[in-house]
Amino acid sequence: IDAALDTVALGMEYDMDRLASLTQHPAEVIAEFAKCDPAYITNFGEEVVRGHSMFAVSKMISAVRGEVRKAAGKSPWLLVSTGKAELSLYAGAVKIGLLEEMQGENFSAKPTVVLSERLGG
């Protein structure tokens, strides 16, 4: 079931990313002609996705994934990014917090392991 959830989630992520990119550009064109402040349009495509039924299904998959992994005898941790192999040569830094609090931070200066209770945006 875990693999099936991953497959469905990946397919939905692709479709939702495509939907966001297809709606963002027209919104920017309309905003330009309407002389709208670009700040109001910056996340338009993402907001379109959040209003789509696939977003609700995505949230449901996220809600059950931990229990599915537990039932399958897997770790509750979800590896988001493995980074580069050479990062293992450094001690790096550990940052614990919510991802929304770290948004916009630049972690390129030194390897950093980020521990977050949940993924979301």
Side-chain angles (χ1 to χ4, degrees), residues 22-46:
L22 287 172
T23 56
Q24 185 64 41
H25 179 69
E28 291 168 355
V29 170
I30 292 169
E32 182 181 342
F33 282 99
K35 298 188 182 354
C36 177
D37 183 347
Y40 292 112
I41 303 300
T42 301
N43 296 323
F44 183 83
E46 291 179 21

Side-chain angles (χ1 to χ4, degrees), residues 46-90:
E46 291 179 21
E47 293 304 323
V48 168
V49 167
R50 286 187 179 104
H52 198 282
S53 58
M54 284 193 298
F55 185 74
V57 174
S58 174
K59 297 300 275 183
M60 289 185 341
I61 288 172
S62 295
V64 300
R65 179 169 270 141
E67 289 301 316
V68 168
R69 290 181 64 77
K70 182 178 175 184
K74 293 185 172 182
S75 164
W77 292 98
L78 182 60
L79 187 61
V80 178
S81 175
T82 57
K84 296 180 181 175
E86 60 268 18
L87 291 179
S88 63
L89 300 174
Y90 305 97

